[in-house]
Amino acid sequence: MGKFVIKKTNTGVKFDLKATNGQVIATSEVYNSMDACKNGIASVAKNAPVAAVEDQTVEGFATEKNPKFEIYKDKADEFRFRLKATNGQVIAVSEGYTTHANCVNGVESVKKNAVDAETVEE
């Protein structure tokens, strides 16, 4: 079972979603309050399992409705994903992956782990 780990930063609060093995599979923006951070967690838990996948690395990809995962390539030529809520806000992002398959696995891991993940504060 995954877990959301809330961490304080110099400028606010953020969360990481960790898989069962402890790997960070998604990260949030920095929120200015604990309540906002917890709302972000609730949004990921609600949207991730039902989100479509829009693979922007494929030529002529189909544009999906929000909520959705967007798979894209960054400036370093690595694959990444971002999860957008129903309102189009980015609510979680991934690390860079060297292969498309690993990025897709990351999306699947978020879909699976976000649903019933516990929330802990560090």
Side-chain angles (χ1 to χ4, degrees):
M1 185 169 87
K3 68 178 167 187
F4 289 101
V5 179
I6 297 174
K7 293 180 182 167
K8 287 185 169 63
T9 70
N10 293 339
T11 54
V13 196
K14 67 180 271 261
F15 67 81
D16 290 328
L17 173 59
K18 293 188 175 186
T20 313
N21 63 5
Q23 287 286 111
V24 174
I25 50 177
T27 301
S28 74
E29 65 180 343
V30 175
Y31 296 95
N32 53 18
S33 74
M34 183 63 78
D35 282 347
C37 186
K38 288 183 176 173
N39 287 342
I41 289 171
S43 185
V44 170
K46 182 179 119 195
N47 287 292
V50 297
V53 178
E54 180 179 293
D55 191 344
Q56 299 175 352
T57 66
V58 177
E59 201 172 313
F61 66 88
T63 303
E64 300 289 346
K65 284 191 179 132
N66 293 326
K68 65 182 173 183
F69 284 93
E70 293 177 340
I71 296 177
Y72 64 99
K73 274 192 152 183
D74 65 13
K75 289 184 179 114
D77 214 30
E78 289 189 318
F79 294 92
R80 292 180 180 268
F81 65 80
R82 58 187 156 240
L83 173 59
K84 288 188 170 180
T86 312
N87 64 4
Q89 287 279 132
V90 175
I91 51 176
V93 298
S94 72
E95 63 182 5
Y97 293 94
T98 53
T99 69
H100 182 268
N102 286 346
C103 187
V104 170
N105 287 344
V107 168
E108 292 305 317
S109 185
V110 171
K111 283 179 169 257
K112 189 176 75 186
N113 284 287
V115 182
D116 54 5
E118 65 174 327
T119 301
V120 296
E121 292 178 37
E122 269 190 1

